[in-house]
Amino acid sequence: MLERTPLTAWTLAALLSAPLAMAQDASDPFAEIPDEAAAAAPASQPAPEPAGDADPAEVDDFGAGNEGDGAAGADTGSADDFGSELESEYGFDPADEFSSAEEPEDRDPWEGFNRAMFRFNDTADRWFLKPAAVSYRQITPVFMQTGISNFFANMHEVNNVLNNILQWKWGQAGNDTGRFLINSTVGVVGLFDVAQHMGLERSDGEDFGQTLAVWGMESGPYLVVPFMGPSTVRDAPAIVVDWYTNPLTYLEDNAVENTLKGIDLIQLRASLLQTESLLQGDRYVLMRDAYLQRREFLINDGEQEDDFGGDLDEYDF
């Protein structure tokens, strides 16, 4: 195990540095390729209308939410109409829901770099990860998807327990330890979540980035990490610690380790397919604001304050 650690570190460094070098190019290597048929048509010819009575909100699995940043932001009217439809149907507009009173330049001073990394990750997702996730959802029975999700969630309980202890959350550490022991034995290596039926509910999860926040470290600017996605200056280095506290990292067989981690990644991506349909308009801004608010929610263990600084949990609604 110790002999392959330097090779793994060099591999991670190479994967992280490749997109950084590509981002230095002034041209956008990930710009959308224009439709050849549309380019060949005369400028005066109007665009064809959609066939039939198809709902514009309905898209296939391979095309949902994959428009480029420029194309998504060009038609602001359609984005506003979509936001109005979501507000009437679901009771909220994602742009307002994930907005923040903090100035964008304070949260995201490296927006140019982050948008380049966002396009890189989005292109890699579009061509590789998302098709694999769609195929996984289509060919895998639902009960198997549930079992696979339970298995990896049980593996992550180890990381939860370690960070609970580092944050002095002894009650939650006991809960997550009990879940791991019960599900690893009675639950057949975690395929069945038996612990929840015994009163041990699954938590939102802990990671080392949350631990650093509890210890008082500021989040720093927003940062999009190549291949990893949204993060912050504080959370990005913590990914390395989480990698070493993952039990799957210590499997002796590299092929088994990489296969299991690949399945975990595909299963996680498949769980986000439906949520992705809500990302319309400037997808970069929506994902950034959603990530930052989600991190604050996890760090504060769900405790939120109103605009006047009062704890909302003090009031009984």
Side-chain angles (χ1 to χ4, degrees):
M1 177 64 199
L2 296 177
E3 296 179 356
R4 62 189 180 93
T5 300
L7 178 60
T8 304
W10 282 108
T11 302
L12 289 175
L15 290 175
L16 293 176
S17 60
L20 298 176
M22 296 174 64
Q24 302 301 320
D25 189 356
S27 61
D28 183 5
F30 309 112
E32 294 291 338
I33 300 176
D35 189 355
E36 296 180 358
S44 60
Q45 182 178 354
E49 295 293 334
D53 297 330
D55 186 353
E58 296 180 356
V59 291
D60 62 8
D61 290 333
F62 290 91
N66 279 328
E67 293 77 13
D69 293 332
D75 188 2
T76 56
S78 60
D80 294 339
D81 294 340
F82 187 83
S84 301
E85 293 177 4
L86 284 177
E87 187 171 5
S88 61
E89 182 175 356
Y90 297 102
F92 74 97
D93 183 352
D96 296 333
E97 184 74 10
F98 298 135
S99 61
S100 173
E102 189 177 2
E103 293 297 329
E105 56 268 19
D106 296 333
R107 294 174 294 153
D108 191 7
W110 305 327
E111 183 174 349
F113 170 84
N114 287 333
R115 282 187 179 272
M117 291 300 98
F118 175 81
R119 288 192 295 270
F120 174 85
N121 290 340
D122 190 54
T123 302
D125 173 76
R126 184 184 314 170
W127 286 101
F128 301 104
L129 186 56
K130 185 175 180 179
V134 172
S135 300
Y136 167 82
R137 288 289 297 269
Q138 292 175 342
I139 66 178
T140 307
V142 175
F143 76 92
M144 290 186 61
Q145 295 182 37
T146 302
I148 293 173
S149 177
N150 288 340
F151 171 79
F152 289 111
N154 188 57
M155 290 292 101
H156 294 162
E157 293 290 4
V158 175
N159 192 49
N160 293 340
V161 172
L162 291 175
N163 285 284
N164 282 324
I165 294 175
L166 292 175
Q167 298 175 36
W168 291 77
K169 297 178 180 178
W170 300 109
Q172 191 62 49
N175 179 89
D176 295 343
T177 300
R179 283 184 52 82
F180 178 75
L181 295 176
I182 293 173
N183 288 339
S184 297
T185 54
V186 183
V188 191
V189 298
L191 293 176
F192 302 96
D193 191 354
V194 180
Q196 69 173 343
H197 301 293
M198 303 176 65
L200 301 177
E201 296 294 334
R202 182 184 299 180
S203 66
D204 290 324
E206 301 287 344
D207 55 54
F208 194 66
Q210 297 178 52
T211 298
L212 292 177
V214 172
W215 288 354
M217 180 178 292
E218 297 293 333
S219 67
Y222 177 72
L223 177 66
V224 180
V225 182
F227 299 107
M228 300 295 180
S231 186
T232 62
V233 171
R234 176 192 63 209
D235 294 338
I239 297 176
V240 179
V241 178
D242 294 331
W243 188 85
Y244 277 103
T245 56
N246 185 347
L248 300 179
T249 302
Y250 298 95
L251 293 174
E252 293 297 332
D253 193 327
N254 288 341
V256 174
E257 174 192 347
N258 295 332
T259 299
L260 289 176
K261 287 186 175 181
I263 295 175
D264 186 18
L265 179 62
I266 293 174
Q267 181 273 328
L268 176 62
R269 181 63 180 89
S271 67
L272 300 175
L273 289 174
Q274 291 184 341
T275 306
E276 184 185 14
S277 63
L278 296 177
L279 295 179
Q280 299 290 332
D282 194 337
R283 298 172 62 247
Y284 169 82
V285 172
L286 287 173
M287 292 186 66
R288 178 192 66 192
D289 293 350
Y291 172 81
L292 294 176
Q293 288 202 3
R294 176 62 176 171
R295 292 299 292 175
E296 287 299 318
F297 177 87
L298 293 176
I299 292 170
N300 297 323
D301 293 328
E303 297 180 2
Q304 302 182 25
E305 293 185 354
D306 61 14
D307 295 336
F308 298 97
D311 193 344
L312 292 178
D313 291 340
E314 297 177 358
Y315 303 95
D316 185 13
F317 293 100

